[in-house]
């Protein structure tokens, strides 16, 4: 982490455990990345877990933990959940790019794409 030892934690929807407990057939994957472009001094580690339902490809939940700016990414996942979207919707959302705030391939999109590819 950065000099401030700052940690953000955010989640929306269901965890893998809750989804399995409800009898859903799920696939979940975790991706580690950076909160900003790697050459930026504010880039900090972030881990994102994406949970989707097999068959329907419906996005079920996302959990995020990481440095400064990591938690705000949950808003995009929450929007997809709100409209009942799929993991593909999250994977291919057009999210903003600015080196101090995001990587060229946003880590949230990449995490969703990894799940989509495995379904």
């Amino acid at each position: 982490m950065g000099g401030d030892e700052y940690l953000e934690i955010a989640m929306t929807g269901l965890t893998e455990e809750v989804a399995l407990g409800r009898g859903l057939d799920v696939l979940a994957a975790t991706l580690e990345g950076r909160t900003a472009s790697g050459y930026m001094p504010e880039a900090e580690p972030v881990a994102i877990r994406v949970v989707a339902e097999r068959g329907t490809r419906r996005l079920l939940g996302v959990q995020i933990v990481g440095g400064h700016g990591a938690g705000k990414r949950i808003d995009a996942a929450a929007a997809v959940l709100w409209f009942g979207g799929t993991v593909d919707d999250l994977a291919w959302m057009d999210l903003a790019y600015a080196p101090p705030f995001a990587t060229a391939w946003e880590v949230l999109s990449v995490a969703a794409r990894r799940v989509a590819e495995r379904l």
Side-chain angles (χ1 to χ4, degrees):
M1 291 297 203
D4 295 335
E5 298 304 318
Y6 184 83
L7 185 65
E8 294 182 6
I9 301 169
M11 72 170 285
T12 188
L14 305 177
T15 64
E16 180 181 14
E17 294 77 19
V18 170
L20 289 170
R22 292 184 179 184
L24 298 171
D25 184 14
V26 302
L27 176 69
T30 302
L31 178 79
E32 295 180 6
R34 306 292 287 173
T35 58
S37 293
Y39 59 85
M40 299 300 295
E42 57 270 15
E44 295 187 42
V46 60
I48 299 177
R49 185 154 184 86
V50 176
V51 183
E53 184 178 31
R54 295 181 196 270
T56 66
R57 304 180 72 87
R58 181 173 53 139
L59 181 68
L60 297 175
V62 175
Q63 299 88 47
I64 299 174
V65 61
H68 186 75
K72 187 64 177 159
R73 288 169 162 82
I74 206 71
D75 287 345
V80 173
L81 284 171
W82 177 255
F83 70 76
T86 67
V87 69
D88 305 284
D89 293 322
L90 181 58
W92 296 106
M93 283 180 81
D94 187 14
L95 299 174
Y97 165 65
F101 310 109
T103 55
W105 285 100
E106 167 55 44
V107 66
L108 177 60
S109 299
V110 175
R113 220 169 293 136
R114 294 262 170 93
V115 171
E117 290 168 355
R118 294 178 184 166
L119 287 174

